[in-house]
């Protein structure tokens, strides 16, 4: 346990205090207390910059479950630190924003900040854990706290729907990841990421390599909202805007990106990894940007935009993984894709965070997020407009903002992807730059929609719930900081060198990295620049004519959407399992008995036959006497009478005959105690049967023969046969001598009794007798209770009592 | 076949009683009315006593004498209970007072 463990767990510890702060300091907005923590943590993590910039890492371990190799090991390297800074930095801004966004009087602030701090701690744990199981624990904690935050306004049905959807999808992916972790453990015998990377040769040559890869990617894709698992993210927009800004743009959805980056040293270089990561990334990029254009809700636009940008980062990581395939030093062009991914990761967090906050301000000050109602806010909300302009232009990839730089590098990476001379890239490679370019056009369009439909045109005051006005300064500070970062990183990208370079070292296997981080605005007239010009040109044209071509969105059949698939799947699962349960849980005991006996016959019969356990050996058989035969015939006749008789009385009496014949058998086989007991018990039970018979209601007393059912017949005959066979084979293969010789000698010598049966019952094995007595006592009490204690009937009297 | 005249005698009597019991079983199954069946059951009980007695002579043991007594008691109680049931529809009557 060292300070950094405490640092990671500190949000959870502070979360415990939040309800008390909320209760005892009602005058002060709870957010002010919470705000201190991420600020302190941010400054604390800044200290580690020196360590990572010099290529060092920091490790600290704490025992958790050492017997199975699970330790809470913290590993701070470039990638982990980058994420930790994002989490704490944007976390501080979001807390500040939420102080002004959430009303002190109307909202349940204590729960909000508890959930938010839970999430912050969980996210720090995910990015800084070296042990995969610890990382998985924190990973699921992010899912749970995200679930709680999305359903923060739990009285709204849509919030609950969105929360459930995100929970189901992300936990599904999380469980897949757990399976992947276990597979990695099987391969390497370690849960530590660093040890697994050190043993990467074992992993890549193992037959479980591809299943583990697929499972990890399932976890990453569901968390990072990649196609087709992106559907939960737009529905998660029912959360309060600070939550959307924090979780669903800057941090949690990047956990999947983090996972892919973190596991790159293990899996990169394999064609499956390259194709899945870059393929799904590029499809997500295209589909997200294409769908974002048709949205009318500002947050929906941003949600699909997030999906699309995450796809962009993912595809860059995929292309970057090709670097591991060509592991020669020098002209390794694919590292630029990874560089672009890390750079865009930072850029996206800045501009998307500020855009969400801007949308939250617009929502807060006008009462709507619908772009059909908004317009002309530019003069009313000038600061907000400037912030939105910076954010959207950066998102669209326009100079001089940081989005332009990462977009250029993205195009470079995608163009380089064509040059990969393996894995069928010479035939399919052209897809990458084409899709990337088309997606960028759509990105441009929705960015412009977001900006101009909201802030220009005519102000429609009559459609708005509130009189629009500029936001309070406290609400504007966080987006102003983020927008300044957008501009600063745009003009001075080399400031980030110290952060990006160590992160690159973490993602790429050490033997391939030779690239120096160089990000400049001007590359000369190259293909990327012309692609950007094309994006702007076509984007403007398409934006102006969106009314004409916008109808293509209606062509897409509504029944085939992924949301319909998800909803239909859930309903189908429920109906299917209900139908399946109904099909065999009929409520009739006879059906259950048929199943039980059927399975008994099948399992016992098949098992014993397949193992060859049935054998008959007649050497030890005693000679059969005449009396036994006659008695057996009597029993069989009585048993058959029970089955085929018309009257229930006859059945009871012939059952009695079976019992008495049994006691006669006991006489024949020299068991006087058993014969005595059997006689008495048989008499009592026949009397009880008669009692039951007498009290049958009139309707059921009809004299009916037992109906013949073929299934029942087959099952009863086969149960009988199986039991006979088992009895025969047990009797013919006696493995050991019986222990009865001992009892014979010892019953008088040791216990002083001549009746051996009784000596066994009360002396040698008296414990059994004790509990048989207990059984009888319980039965007697049970009968007494059932007869005496009856619930009152409606009139208040007790039925059957006088 | 038989080692002594006594055993011959016992076997023959056992056979005869068994046949008689089978006849009574036929009456139990067929018996047109319930009293027929009850009577037959009672007689089966008596025959069982006889069978047990003969068996214990043949097995040369006195361990089954309690069984004989018990069958006698049970057959009596059973028959009385049945008769009472047939007569009144009840075996144990309740006192009206409590």
């Amino acid at each position: 346990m060292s300070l950094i463990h405490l640092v990671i767990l500190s949000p959870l510890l502070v979360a415990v205090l939040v309800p008390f702060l909320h209760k005892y300091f009602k005058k002060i907005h709870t957010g002010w207390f919470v705000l201190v923590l991420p600020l302190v943590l941010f400054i604390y993590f800044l200290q580690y910059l020196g360590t990572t910039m010099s290529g060092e890492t920091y490790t600290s371990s704490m025992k958790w479950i050492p017997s199975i190799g699970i330790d809470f090991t913290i590993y701070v390297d470039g990638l982990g630190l980058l994420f930790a800074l994002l989490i704490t930095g944007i976390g501080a801004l979001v807390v500040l924003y939420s102080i002004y966004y959430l009303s002190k009087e109307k909202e349940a602030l204590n729960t909000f900040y508890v959930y938010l701090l839970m999430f912050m701690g969980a996210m720090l744990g995910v990015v800084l854990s070296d042990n995969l199981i610890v990382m998985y624990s924190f990973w699921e904690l992010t899912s749970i706290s995200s679930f709680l935050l999305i359903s923060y306004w739990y009285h709204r049905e849509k919030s609950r729907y969105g929360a459930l959807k995100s929970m189901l999808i992300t936990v599904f992916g999380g469980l897949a990841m757990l399976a992947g972790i276990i597979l990695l453990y099987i391969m390497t015998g370690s849960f530590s990421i660093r040890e697994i990377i050190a043993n990467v040769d074992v992993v890549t040559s193992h037959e479980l390599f591809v299943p583990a890869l697929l499972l990890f990617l399932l976890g990453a894709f569901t968390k990072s909202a990649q196609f087709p698992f992106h559907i939960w993210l737009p529905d998660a927009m029912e959360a309060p805007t600070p939550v959307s800004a924090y979780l669903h743009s800057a941090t949690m959805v990047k956990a999947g990106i983090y996972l892919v980056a973190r596991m790159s040293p293990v899996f990169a270089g394999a064609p499956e990894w390259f194709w899945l990561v870059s393929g799904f990334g590029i499809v997500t990029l295209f589909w997200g940007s294409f769908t974002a254009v048709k949205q009318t809700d500002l947050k929906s636009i941003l949600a699909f935009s997030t999906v699309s940008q995450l796809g962009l980062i993912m595809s860059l990581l995929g292309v970057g993984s090709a670097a591991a395939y060509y592991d020669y030093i020098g002209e390794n062009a694919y590292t630029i894709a990874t560089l672009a991914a890390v750079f865009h990761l930072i850029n996206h967090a800045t501009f998307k965070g500020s855009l969400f906050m801007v949308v939250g301000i617009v929502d807060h000050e006008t009462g709507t997020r619908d772009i059909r109602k908004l317009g002309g806010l530019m003069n009313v909300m000038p600061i907000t407009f400037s912030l939105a302009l910076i954010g959207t232009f950066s998102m669209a990839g326009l100079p001089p903002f940081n989005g332009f730089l990462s977009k250029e590098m993205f195009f470079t990476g995608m163009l380089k992807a064509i040059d990969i001379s393996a894995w069928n890239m010479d035939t399919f490679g052209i897809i990458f730059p084409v899709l990337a370019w088309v997606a960028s056009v759509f990105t441009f369009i929705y960015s412009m929609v977001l900006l101009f439909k909201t802030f220009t045109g005519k102000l429609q005051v009559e459609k708005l719930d509130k009189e629009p006005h500029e936001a309070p300064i406290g609400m504007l500070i966080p987006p102003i900081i983020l927008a300044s970062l957008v501009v600063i990183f745009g003009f001075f990208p080399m400031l980030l060198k110290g952060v990006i370079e160590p992160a690159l070292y973490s993602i790429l296997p050490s033997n391939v990295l030779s690239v120096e981080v160089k990000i400049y605005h001007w590359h000369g007239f190259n293909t990327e620049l012309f692609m950007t010009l094309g994006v702007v040109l076509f984007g403007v044209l398409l934006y102006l004519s969106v009314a004409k071509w916008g109808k293509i969105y209606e062509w897409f059949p509504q029944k085939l959407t992924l949301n319909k698939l998800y909803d239909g799947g859930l309903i189908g699962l429920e109906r299917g399992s209900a139908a399946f349960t109904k099909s065999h849980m009929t409520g009739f005991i006879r059906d259950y008995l048929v199943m039980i006996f059927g399975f008994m016959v099948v399992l016992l019969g098949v098992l014993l036959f397949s193992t060859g356990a049935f054998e008959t050996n007649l050497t030890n058989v005693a000679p059969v006497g005449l009396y036994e035969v006659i008695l057996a015939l009597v029993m069989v006749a009585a048993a058959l009478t029970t089955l085929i008789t018309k009257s229930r009385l006859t059945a009871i009496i012939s059952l009695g005959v079976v019992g008495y014949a049994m006691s006669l058998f006991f006489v024949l086989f020299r068991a006087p105690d058993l014969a005595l007991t059997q006689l008495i018990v048989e008499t009592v039970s026949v009397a009880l049967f008669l009692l039951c018979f007498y009290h049958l209601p009139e309707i059921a007393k009809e004299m009916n023969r037992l109906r013949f059912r073929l299934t029942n017949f087959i099952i009863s005959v086969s149960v009988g046969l199986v039991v006979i066979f088992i009895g025969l084979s047990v009797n013919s293969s006696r493995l050991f001598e019986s222990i009865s010789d001992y009892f014979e000698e010892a019953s008088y010598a040791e216990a002083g009794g001549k009746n051996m049966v009784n000596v066994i019952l009360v002396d040698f094995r008296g414990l059994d007798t004790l509990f048989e007595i207990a059984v009888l006592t319980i039965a007697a009490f049970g009968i007494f209770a059932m007869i005496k204690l009856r619930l009152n009937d409606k009139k208040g009297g007790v039925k059957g009592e006088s | 076949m038989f080692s002594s005249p006594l055993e011959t005698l016992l076997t023959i009597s056992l056979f005869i009683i068994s046949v008689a019991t089978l006849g009574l079983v036929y009456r139990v199954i067929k018996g047109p009315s319930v009293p027929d069946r009850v009577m037959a059951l009672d007689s089966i009980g008596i025959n069982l006593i006889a069978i047990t007695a003969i068996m214990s002579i043949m097995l040369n043991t006195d361990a089954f004498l309690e069984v004989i007594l018990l069958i006698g008691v049970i057959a009596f109680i059973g028959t009385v209970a049945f008769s009472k049931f047939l007569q009144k529809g009840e075996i144990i009557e309740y006192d009206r007072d409590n």
Side-chain angles (χ1 to χ4, degrees):
Chain A
M1 182 99 184
S2 62
L3 180 63
I4 193 156
H5 289 103
L6 207 62
V7 162
I8 287 177
L9 295 176
S10 63
L12 304 176
L13 298 174
V14 173
V16 176
L17 296 177
V18 164
F20 298 104
L21 292 171
H22 179 72
K23 194 173 174 188
Y24 294 110
F25 299 92
K26 270 231 175 294
K27 291 266 164 62
I28 311 166
H29 196 288
T30 318
W32 290 113
F33 300 111
V34 177
L35 179 61
V36 182
L37 181 76
L39 277 178
V40 171
L41 293 185
F42 183 70
I43 293 162
Y44 175 82
F45 281 117
L46 280 179
Q47 292 174 349
Y48 282 95
L49 269 181
T51 319
T52 55
M53 273 161 82
S54 58
E56 305 280 312
T57 56
Y58 176 78
T59 319
S60 172
S61 190
M62 186 178 105
K63 293 256 180 286
W64 185 24
I65 315 174
S67 56
I68 46 173
I70 298 174
D71 295 326
F72 188 6
T73 307
I74 302 295
Y75 177 63
V76 187
D77 65 343
L79 185 66
L81 187 66
L82 164 64
F83 272 92
L85 288 172
L86 278 180
I87 292 160
T88 49
I90 296 183
L93 297 175
V94 161
V95 170
L96 179 62
Y97 179 78
S98 71
I99 292 172
Y100 290 91
Y101 187 85
L102 292 174
S103 147
K104 193 167 58 180
E105 288 82 20
K106 289 179 199 159
E107 307 287 359
L109 291 175
N110 47 349
T111 53
F112 180 79
Y113 287 109
V114 167
Y115 300 160
L116 199 71
L117 284 171
M118 248 167 78
F119 172 78
M120 195 183 288
M123 203 62 209
L124 281 177
V126 167
V127 298
L128 293 176
S129 296
D130 178 56
N131 193 292
L132 282 169
I133 293 288
V134 177
M135 190 198 76
Y136 170 74
S137 315
F138 283 117
W139 181 280
E140 291 297 21
L141 192 56
T142 63
S143 295
I144 292 166
S145 48
S146 164
F147 169 78
L148 290 168
L149 283 166
I150 295 169
S151 58
Y152 176 64
W153 289 311
Y154 54 82
H155 46 84
R156 296 184 190 169
E157 201 192 339
K158 275 182 142 184
S159 297
R160 299 196 302 265
Y161 172 79
L164 182 66
K165 194 174 186 177
S166 72
M167 181 82 167
L168 285 176
I169 293 177
T170 54
V171 168
F172 161 72
L175 285 175
M177 192 181 86
L178 179 63
I181 291 170
I182 292 167
L183 288 188
L184 275 186
Y185 182 74
I186 293 171
M187 285 186 261
T188 60
S190 169
F191 284 123
S192 160
I193 298 175
R194 277 171 306 143
E195 281 178 33
I196 291 170
I197 292 173
N199 293 325
V200 71
D201 296 338
V202 183
V203 180
T204 37
S205 57
H206 204 281
E207 57 186 351
L208 291 174
F209 175 72
V210 174
L213 185 154
L214 291 176
L215 289 167
F216 265 98
L217 281 186
L218 208 54
F221 285 175
T222 49
K223 200 76 165 178
S224 278
Q226 298 294 298
F227 188 88
F229 306 113
H230 65 276
I231 50 172
W232 66 267
L233 189 61
D235 283 313
M237 290 301 131
E238 292 300 320
T241 304
V243 173
S244 309
Y246 189 37
L247 273 69
H248 306 128
S249 73
T251 52
M252 189 181 87
V253 288
K254 293 206 170 88
I257 304 277
Y258 168 80
L259 186 70
V260 168
R262 181 54 92 198
M263 299 315 284
S264 273
V266 182
F267 295 115
E272 295 90 352
W273 181 262
F274 169 82
W275 271 111
L276 286 171
V277 176
S278 51
F280 274 94
I282 201 100
V283 169
T284 312
L285 164 66
F286 170 74
W287 187 249
S289 62
F290 179 70
T291 320
V293 177
K294 75 166 176 180
Q295 306 300 321
T296 54
D297 178 83
L298 289 175
K299 274 177 98 173
S300 294
I301 298 178
L302 287 179
F304 280 106
S305 149
T306 305
V307 168
S308 141
Q309 305 275 323
L310 290 170
L312 184 153
I313 300 174
M314 198 64 96
S315 65
L316 280 171
L317 283 175
V319 172
S321 78
Y325 181 75
Y326 300 97
D327 54 354
Y328 50 83
I329 310 291
E331 289 284 314
N332 201 332
Y334 306 108
T335 49
I336 185 137
T338 314
L339 170 63
V342 177
F343 186 47
H344 194 72
L345 180 79
I346 303 168
N347 294 343
H348 177 250
T350 54
F351 68 69
K352 191 54 65 69
S354 77
L355 278 177
F356 265 109
M357 291 174 184
V358 162
V359 166
I361 290 170
V362 169
D363 185 17
H364 206 261
E365 305 307 333
T366 64
T368 184
R369 298 194 309 248
D370 195 328
I371 51 171
R372 289 166 299 191
K373 294 180 185 170
L374 292 165
L377 292 172
M378 186 162 63
N379 294 324
V380 186
M381 308 167 85
I383 305 174
T384 317
F385 170 69
S386 327
L387 295 171
L389 182 114
I390 295 170
T392 47
F393 276 30
S394 177
M395 184 157 76
L398 297 176
F401 305 110
N402 57 6
F404 171 70
L405 300 166
S406 44
K407 181 71 51 103
E408 293 280 282
M409 285 161 69
F410 167 59
F411 284 150
T412 314
M414 288 297 134
L415 287 171
K416 288 276 197 312
I418 307 176
D419 301 335
I420 298 174
S421 56
W423 313 329
N424 290 331
M425 274 305 279
D426 36 359
T427 40
F428 297 114
I430 192 70
I431 297 172
F432 283 78
V434 169
L435 266 183
W437 186 80
V438 176
S440 299
V441 173
F442 280 109
T443 306
F444 184 88
I445 299 170
Y446 72 69
S447 302
M448 295 307 117
V449 167
L450 190 69
L451 181 66
F452 291 116
K453 289 266 160 84
T454 314
F455 291 99
T456 59
K458 235 183 86 203
L459 187 61
Q460 301 157 297
V461 185
E462 72 283 354
K463 285 189 183 173
L464 302 178
D465 297 344
K466 299 174 185 173
E467 183 71 26
H469 56 82
E470 187 59 274
I473 184 70
M475 215 163 174
L476 286 168
I477 289 174
I480 286 174
I481 294 174
L482 286 173
S484 329
L485 286 177
V486 169
V487 179
I488 292 168
F489 293 157
F491 280 108
F492 310 105
M494 290 306 277
L495 280 177
L496 289 171
K497 183 179 190 280
V499 183
I500 294 175
E501 217 169 46
L504 273 185
Y505 277 108
S506 316
I507 298 172
L508 291 170
S510 52
N511 54 338
V512 297
L513 192 70
S514 61
V515 76
E516 215 184 313
V517 177
K518 282 187 221 145
I519 310 168
Y520 299 114
H521 258 285
W522 185 248
H523 300 273
F525 291 104
N526 52 11
T527 327
E528 293 90 327
L529 186 69
F530 289 114
M531 280 171 86
T532 304
L533 286 175
V535 165
V536 175
L537 190 69
F538 273 89
V540 169
L541 281 177
L542 283 173
Y543 171 68
L544 293 176
S545 60
V546 72
K548 282 177 189 161
W549 60 270
K551 290 196 174 60
I552 60 160
Y553 288 108
E554 291 161 18
W555 297 351
F556 195 74
Q558 280 297 308
K559 278 189 179 170
L560 289 179
T561 55
L562 287 165
N563 281 318
K564 279 272 186 313
L565 193 71
Y566 166 83
D567 293 335
L570 273 192
I571 294 169
L573 265 181
E574 273 176 25
R575 285 195 190 149
S577 46
F580 176 67
T581 313
K582 268 188 192 164
S583 72
H584 64 280
M585 303 304 277
T586 53
F588 290 111
I589 289 179
R590 62 165 174 267
D591 291 346
Y592 301 148
L593 286 178
V594 163
M595 277 180 249
I596 292 170
F597 282 120
F599 271 99
M600 183 186 134
V601 166
V602 170
L603 290 178
L604 280 179
V606 170
L607 179 76
L608 292 176
F609 268 115
S610 65
T611 53
F614 285 127
E615 57 167 317
T616 39
N617 175 9
L618 296 176
T619 49
N620 280 332
V621 174
V624 181
L626 187 64
Y627 321 125
E628 286 99 322
V629 175
I630 293 172
L631 257 184
L633 285 178
V634 170
M635 270 179 110
V636 169
L640 283 178
T641 316
T642 319
L643 281 182
I644 57 176
T645 182
K646 260 185 172 179
S647 119
R648 287 201 167 91
L649 199 60
T650 317
I652 293 169
I653 289 173
S654 46
L655 208 61
V657 171
V658 174
Y660 291 125
M662 193 69 224
S663 71
L664 219 55
F665 258 120
F666 286 141
V667 170
L668 257 183
F669 291 138
R670 297 177 178 77
D673 295 293
L674 287 183
L676 276 175
T677 321
Q678 171 71 21
L679 270 174
I680 298 171
V681 169
E682 192 59 43
T683 312
V684 171
S685 43
V686 168
L688 284 178
F689 276 129
L690 287 173
L691 190 72
C692 298
F693 173 75
Y694 176 68
H695 286 290
L696 277 181
E698 288 300 321
I699 302 169
K701 261 185 196 165
E702 286 169 33
M703 298 290 183
N704 267 338
R705 185 166 288 171
L706 210 60
R707 259 195 295 160
F708 180 79
R709 284 196 183 85
L710 188 64
T711 11
N712 293 2
F713 178 73
I714 293 171
I715 285 179
S716 54
V717 167
S718 40
V719 168
L721 283 178
V722 164
V723 173
I724 288 172
F725 277 125
I726 291 174
L728 272 179
S729 45
V730 165
N731 215 22
S732 45
S733 57
R734 185 157 286 170
L735 295 176
F736 303 106
E737 279 302 304
S738 149
I739 60 163
S740 56
D741 290 343
Y742 167 75
F743 290 129
E744 223 174 317
E745 285 167 17
S747 64
Y748 189 71
E750 308 260 330
K754 285 179 179 165
N755 186 334
M756 200 172 102
V757 175
N758 291 358
V759 168
I760 291 176
L761 280 180
V762 299
D763 203 318
F764 288 126
R765 310 199 36 190
L767 210 59
D768 292 347
T769 315
L770 176 65
F771 289 106
E772 303 272 331
I773 292 169
V775 168
L776 286 180
T777 317
I778 291 167
F781 273 115
I783 291 164
F784 182 77
M786 279 194 288
I787 292 171
K788 275 289 171 192
L789 306 178
R790 295 188 203 181
L791 287 179
N792 293 354
D793 60 11
K794 280 177 191 166
K795 285 172 190 166
V798 177
K799 235 180 169 180
E801 296 274 311
S802 54
Chain B
M1 187 179 171
F2 299 112
S3 53
S4 68
L6 180 65
E7 200 174 338
T8 320
L9 186 68
L10 288 173
T11 313
I12 291 168
S13 36
L14 198 59
F15 178 74
I16 292 169
I17 296 171
S18 302
V19 171
T21 313
L22 277 180
L24 288 166
V25 169
Y26 172 76
R27 193 40 65 197
V28 168
I29 296 167
K30 184 77 186 172
S33 71
V34 179
D36 287 327
R37 292 193 172 102
V38 175
M39 280 301 296
L41 265 184
D42 191 47
S43 313
I44 288 177
I46 306 301
N47 279 7
L48 281 180
I49 293 177
I51 291 173
T52 315
I54 293 170
M55 285 300 300
S56 52
I57 298 172
M58 285 173 82
L59 296 172
N60 198 14
T61 171
D62 59 358
F64 293 108
L65 298 185
E66 291 99 329
V67 177
I68 293 170
L69 281 175
L70 192 79
I71 296 175
V73 172
I74 286 173
F76 173 69
I77 293 176
T79 313
V80 167
F82 248 121
S83 316
K84 204 168 177 193
F85 173 73
L86 290 176
Q87 190 186 4
K88 293 190 170 177
E90 245 178 335
I91 296 170
I92 301 169
E93 287 160 274
Y94 289 102
D95 245 346
R96 285 276 166 204
D97 295 340
N98 47 1

